[in-house]
Amino acid sequence: MLVYILLGCFAFLMYVCLKYTNGKSRIIAKIPGPKGIPIFGNALQVDLERIHKDLLKWTEEYGPIFKLNFAGDLVVVLNSYDAIYEALVTKSADFAGRANDTFRVQVLAEGADVIFQDYTDKVKYMKKLMLQGLKMYGEERSNIVKITQSEVNLCMDKFAAENNEPFYYDDAVETMILKILAEVIAGVQFKDEHPYIKQIAEVQAKAGRVMSAGNGVELDMFPWLRFFGNQNYKILTEACKTRNIVLADMRKECEKSIESNHSVMGVFIKAQRDPLTPHQISDSNIITASANLIGAGLTTTKGTISGLFLLLMRHPDIQTKLQEEVDQVVGKDRNPSVDDKENMPYLQATLIEVLRYLSHVPISVPHKTLVDTSVAGYDVPKGTQVWTNIFAMHHDPSLFPDPWQFKPERWLDDDGYLVSLEERNKAISFGAGRRVCVGEQFARTRLFLFCATLLQKFTISPPDDSQSPSPDPRDFPLGIVLHPVPFQIKAIARQ
Ligand code: HEM
């Protein structure tokens, strides 16, 4: 055993030395950044569960761009709107790679998904298929709205069943999101108690734990630990196994009605069978792409709804204004619809502000340069990992005055209308350019329908007379996204 440990340490030292002395490091050395310690660099200076706070502190010190060194692995961090816009939009092709060479990502993504692969023609094609399946345009949109509305209503029934008493909302909200996603992915409606729903939730929880910032890092540094009973490796491989079984079963369900099925899997299966398809679609592509949508869609939406509850409890005046708008535009006798959106600027502004204020995907999904390039006046070589620090950018006081105050009004003009699209695009909660979020319109629609229905029926209040927990995202731990620790709410039925 001792021999293995010594060999492991030696290999690690060689690896770090090589990384420190290559040409890439010399180019990146010109970028400012906090001084680290030998061998480990800045690795021991960050709290992985609160890395967004460390990055915020360094942004104040170094400005739009700085570099970090994690035991020889260099990361360039972009913090200002201009630097992030330059990388994501102006030089989108240069920065469209993904930092996908870590062990955990390779196990999870099987080199076949969308989120963790470099941007190639095939990934572009798969993103197009995902969008077709998410049906966010044309006649199909009304179907997705119907699916969403019926699941939102079921979730509201669960809230009503709590009879104005305090309760943990997590299960009801998670089931609602998973059922919408499962139906959109497989084109089949599942009941709450269907085993797939429970299994997918378990897979998400397990994979989420190992892939989150504070866990499983040891596997990336020492992949050989998997041969020595590493617990995180076991959890990750079990989660992937269950994921593959459940999604293969969902595929079979989908194939039963393939002719009339326009779900995400349906679109992928048809592309797989099409002799003229521009890119071969494998079974693994179908499973990992579907898993991407569940993974990306669940944690982000749940995080937004949790943050929204905290913010509504902390700002009863804003909640009252939102309810007045819902009462005026929708009334009490019908479900809110997507067409109500344009007449509800205050709710739209509130949702944009929730996403800005929380910035719960704080460094987005890490990017990688695909060519030698530059940003914010510094050269960045091919193959460099780049983080877009959305958290710092969304709290930059020169862009958003009083950034730690929750103010939906910042997105409204003097007449109460939404500010221009150009102004709204200063918030980049869904990224931009080639790697922009596939689910942006889908997420915005679901969140709008959920909030409008919630506020039509309930007032969200703290569980007792004490003050509700802090909505400040600086206090949230980072898992896959920033998420507050579980808390209770009261959903008081409105007369
Ligand atoms: C509030 C909700 C959401 C937020 C804030 C959010 C945010 C993001 C962000 C920041 C990225 C990375 C952009 C970049 O790399 O620069 C991303 C990527 C992605 N998101 Fe979302 N997302 C949300 C909901 C969803 C939903 C509902 C789905 C699908 C059903 C989804 C699917 C994806 C996919 C597939 C990608 C990868 C795109 C790529 O790699 O090219 N997201 N999202």
Side-chain angles (χ1 to χ4, degrees):
M1 184 69 171
L2 184 67
V3 175
Y4 284 121
I5 292 174
L6 286 173
L7 275 175
C9 292
F10 179 71
F12 177 63
L13 276 177
M14 289 298 292
Y15 165 83
V16 173
C17 289
L18 281 174
K19 291 228 165 185
Y20 265 112
T21 49
N22 65 20
K24 197 162 118 186
S25 317
R26 279 196 294 277
I27 298 172
I28 296 177
K30 297 193 178 119
I31 300 174
K35 202 168 155 29
I37 56 169
I39 300 190
F40 292 100
N42 308 107
L44 305 179
Q45 294 167 338
V46 291
D47 170 1
L48 287 176
E49 265 210 352
R50 296 277 190 289
I51 196 166
H52 53 299
K53 278 179 92 172
D54 294 321
L55 298 181
L56 204 56
K57 181 185 71 193
W58 283 322
T59 301
E60 278 163 20
E61 202 173 333
Y62 296 102
I65 179 168
F66 60 81
K67 66 159 184 303
L68 293 175
N69 174 345
F70 294 97
D73 282 328
L74 298 171
V75 176
V76 170
V77 189
L78 305 178
N79 312 296
S80 69
Y81 178 80
D82 287 346
I84 293 177
Y85 189 88
E86 184 182 350
L88 294 189
V89 183
T90 320
K91 294 178 181 163
S92 192
D94 297 4
F95 287 83
R98 285 293 192 213
N100 52 8
D101 56 358
T102 63
F103 181 74
R104 283 179 298 168
V105 164
Q106 284 170 0
V107 172
L108 185 77
E110 297 179 1
D113 75 332
V114 167
I115 294 187
F116 294 111
Q117 305 311 312
D118 289 343
Y119 196 78
T120 56
D121 284 348
K122 178 161 174 184
V123 165
K124 184 176 170 190
Y125 177 60
M126 284 172 66
K127 281 187 86 168
K128 201 172 126 198
L129 296 180
M130 281 176 159
L131 277 171
Q132 272 176 26
L134 288 175
K135 307 172 185 141
M136 284 321 299
Y137 51 88
E139 291 170 13
E140 299 285 2
R141 199 176 83 156
S142 59
N143 191 32
I144 189 83
V145 169
K146 234 191 303 170
I147 297 172
T148 305
Q149 195 59 66
S150 96
E151 292 305 331
V152 168
N153 286 342
L154 282 174
C155 178
M156 294 301 119
D157 291 347
K158 291 179 189 169
F159 280 23
E162 299 293 340
N163 286 322
N164 304 337
E165 292 297 324
F167 68 103
Y168 287 100
Y169 60 87
D170 302 64
D171 273 356
V173 167
E174 185 169 300
T175 306
M176 169 188 76
I177 301 170
L178 277 175
K179 283 174 70 192
I180 298 172
L181 284 169
E183 187 163 350
V184 170
I185 287 169
V188 181
Q189 197 179 5
F190 299 100
K191 292 216 158 28
D192 274 24
E193 57 282 3
H194 195 290
Y196 292 166
I197 300 298
K198 214 169 151 253
Q199 285 166 334
I200 295 174
E202 274 167 21
V203 166
Q204 282 307 318
K206 282 184 184 168
R209 212 177 318 139
V210 180
M211 298 304 289
S212 66
N215 269 310
V217 186
E218 77 284 359
L219 275 171
D220 293 344
M221 295 177 89
F222 310 114
W224 45 264
L225 284 174
R226 67 186 183 280
F227 301 120
F228 294 90
N230 178 276
Q231 201 52 24
N232 280 325
Y233 179 70
K234 272 194 196 154
I235 295 173
L236 185 59
T237 44
E238 263 171 35
C240 290
K241 205 170 138 198
T242 314
R243 171 197 72 183
N244 291 356
I245 293 170
V246 173
L247 287 172
D249 281 354
M250 278 171 77
R251 176 188 172 144
K252 280 187 205 142
E253 292 283 334
C254 174
E255 278 175 327
K256 284 184 196 157
S257 58
I258 190 70
E259 289 316 319
S260 57
N261 189 314
H262 303 293
S263 63
V264 176
M265 276 187 169
V267 172
F268 270 78
I269 293 166
K270 281 176 194 152
Q272 188 178 46
R273 293 177 180 175
D274 181 357
L276 299 177
T277 181
H279 300 278
Q280 290 300 317
I281 297 294
S282 68
D283 291 349
S284 179
N285 287 142
I286 298 181
I287 284 183
T288 52
S290 305
N292 276 175
L293 296 176
I294 298 173
L298 174 65
T299 45
T300 50
T301 313
K302 203 173 146 194
T304 315
I305 291 176
S306 298
L308 174 84
F309 286 156
L310 289 175
L311 288 160
L312 289 177
M313 291 194 288
R314 204 43 92 87
H315 299 276
D317 50 325
I318 292 178
Q319 184 164 193
T320 306
K321 261 179 111 169
L322 286 165
Q323 286 170 330
E324 281 166 8
E325 190 179 69
V326 176
D327 292 350
Q328 206 183 342
V329 177
V330 185
K332 296 201 187 310
D333 302 326
R334 68 169 175 89
N335 283 324
S337 81
V338 182
D339 295 336
D340 293 322
K341 219 169 154 184
E342 62 180 299
N343 298 318
M344 298 173 72
Y346 194 68
L347 178 50
Q348 286 200 65
T350 303
L351 289 175
I352 301 171
E353 180 67 351
V354 169
L355 290 169
R356 178 205 70 83
Y357 179 82
L358 293 175
S359 298
H360 60 308
V361 194
I363 49 168
S364 184
V365 182
H367 285 238
K368 186 183 73 188
T369 48
L370 293 173
V371 290
D372 289 342
T373 182
S374 64
V375 65
Y378 289 93
D379 288 335
V380 183
K382 179 179 172 179
T384 305
Q385 188 172 160
V386 178
W387 294 355
T388 50
N389 188 359
I390 296 177
F391 193 79
M393 192 220 102
H394 278 172
H395 298 101
D396 174 354
S398 67
L399 206 58
F400 302 105
D402 303 323
W404 298 105
Q405 282 187 29
F406 178 67
K407 283 203 288 198
E409 286 75 16
R410 66 173 89 238
W411 303 103
L412 296 171
D413 65 18
D414 293 343
D415 298 320
Y417 293 110
L418 269 188
V419 294
S420 68
L421 186 62
E422 198 185 341
E423 278 292 303
R424 278 179 267 156
N425 282 345
K426 278 188 191 159
I428 49 164
S429 309
F430 296 89
R434 293 179 186 215
R435 300 316 299 240
V436 70
C437 172
V438 170
E440 174 170 359
Q441 292 314 321
F442 179 66
R444 286 192 195 277
T445 303
R446 278 187 319 169
L447 286 169
F448 173 81
L449 291 174
F450 175 82
C451 293
T453 314
L454 176 84
L455 294 159
Q456 182 189 43
K457 296 187 189 311
F458 301 102
T459 299
I460 300 300
S461 318
D464 51 43
D465 289 341
S466 63
Q467 210 186 30
S468 56
S470 164
D472 189 329
R474 287 170 290 188
D475 301 333
F476 296 176
L478 178 62
I480 293 289
V481 299
L482 295 177
H483 203 284
V485 289
F487 61 92
Q488 290 190 314
I489 56 169
K490 267 200 288 199
I492 310 285
R494 294 183 67 206
Q495 296 308 312

